[in-house]
């Protein structure tokens, strides 16, 4: 079957498994409440770049468009690092 975003349920399940494996490999408990460590352990270069861009945009009061799941993940991490980022987030999708 297909999800609301047009992705097959099997693909979604596999992505969930990959995240679980990464968290298990990096000792899930050590990543809790430590966004920088989590970002370094399981964040890809694109997420790291987006987090950095969001933190910099926040320093300059520039609005941040959040469009899609990966960008939402980056926004969550950026907000965990600096809660002031949240005041500039504009969400454009439901994913």
């Amino acid at each position: 079957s297909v999800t609301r975003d047009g992705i097959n349920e099997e693909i979604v399940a596999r992505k969930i498994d990959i995240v679980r494996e990464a968290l298990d490999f990096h000792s899930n408990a050590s990543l809790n409440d430590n966004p920088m460590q989590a970002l370094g352990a399981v964040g890809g270069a694109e997420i790291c770049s987006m987090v950095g861009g969001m933190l910099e945009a926040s320093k300059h009061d520039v609005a941040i468009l959040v469009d899609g799941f990966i960008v939402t993940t980056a926004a969550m991490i950026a907000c965990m690092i600096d809660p002031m980022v949240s005041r500039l987030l504009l969400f454009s999708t439901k994913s």
Side-chain angles (χ1 to χ4, degrees):
S1 79
V2 175
T3 68
R4 64 180 160 77
D5 295 324
I7 300 173
N8 184 297
E9 290 288 349
E10 291 173 13
I11 293 171
V12 173
R14 178 64 188 136
K15 288 181 179 188
I16 290 169
D17 288 341
I18 290 169
V19 171
R20 283 188 182 136
E21 289 171 16
L23 291 174
D24 288 344
F25 179 80
H26 291 284
S27 177
N28 188 10
S30 70
L31 303 181
N32 290 343
D33 299 321
N34 192 337
M36 292 298 286
Q37 187 171 347
L39 189 59
V42 296
E46 72 283 3
I47 295 175
C48 294
S49 296
M50 285 187 274
V51 169
M54 290 175 184
L55 293 170
E56 190 65 21
S58 179
K59 287 180 187 177
H60 299 283
D61 294 322
V62 174
I64 302 162
L65 181 64
V66 181
D67 182 21
F69 182 77
I70 299 300
V71 182
T72 301
T73 301
M76 178 192 70
I77 295 169
C79 289
M80 291 176 73
I81 294 169
D82 180 3
M84 290 298 290
V85 171
S86 65
R87 77 191 195 291
L88 297 165
L89 299 177
L90 304 171
F91 291 87
S92 64
T93 64
K94 294 191 238 177
S95 65

